[in-house]
Amino acid sequence: LIGAILMIVTGCLRNMDDAYSKMNFESIVLIAAMLPMATALQKTGGMELISNAIIDTLGKFGPYGVLIGVYAITVIFGQFVSNTATAVLFAPIAMSAAMAMDVNPYTFMIGVAAAASMAFATPIASPTNSLVLTAGNYKFSDFVRVGVPLQVVMFIVMMIVVPLLFPF
C-alpha cells in the first residue's frame, strides 16, 4: 500500500489505465490456480508417493542425500509453479520424508522454504518475475541466463548452511 501511494505521489504511475496495461493477468490467474493442486495431491496420495520415491532413491545417501533431493526437486518444480504453491506442495512431502527417516523435520522444512523461493530461472513461477517480464521488456532467456547460475550458487550455500543451522 505504501509503495502504491509512493508511485502515485512521485508520478511513476499517472493513471490506472497505465497500471492495468502493464499487468500480466495471465500470471495472476496462474498463481491463483496452482494452490488447489496441493490439495489434490494430498487427497489422492500423491504426496506420500513422491516422498517414498525420494526416500527409496536417495535414502542410501542418508538424510543429507534426501535433503539434496527434496531441495532439487522443489527448485525444479518451483520454476513452473508459483513459489507459494510449491511450498504448499512440497512441505508435506519434506515432512513425511523427515518423519520416515526419523530426523529433524525443521531441516527439511527450511530446505523446502528456501528452495521454493529460488524461482530465478523462469518468469512464470514468481509473481515478481512475472510482473517485471512485460514492464521491463525481458525475454524468457534473460531469466534463464541469469537465474540458473544464481540457483547453483544458492544450492551450494543452502546445502552448507541449512544443516549447520538446523542439524539433522
Side-chain angles (χ1 to χ4, degrees), residues 60-156:
K60 60 187 168 213
F61 299 109
Y64 197 74
V66 175
L67 175 64
I68 289 172
V70 168
Y71 185 95
I73 292 169
T74 304
V75 166
I76 291 166
F77 196 81
Q79 300 313 302
F80 307 102
V81 179
S82 79
N83 53 2
T84 305
T86 301
V88 168
L89 287 172
F90 282 93
I93 292 169
M95 180 70 79
S96 176
M99 297 301 217
M101 295 175 40
D102 198 31
V103 295
N104 184 3
Y106 288 123
T107 310
F108 287 82
M109 298 304 282
I110 295 297
V112 166
S117 300
M118 301 293 168
F120 305 136
T122 65
I124 56 177
S126 170
T128 308
N129 293 356
S130 299
L131 293 174
V132 300
L133 175 69
T134 308
N137 266 347
Y138 294 113
K139 295 178 279 194
F140 194 92
S141 61
D142 294 331
F143 287 90
V144 173
R145 190 174 56 242
V146 173
V148 171
L150 181 58
Q151 285 180 317
V152 170
V153 169
M154 291 307 298
F155 173 76
I156 293 166

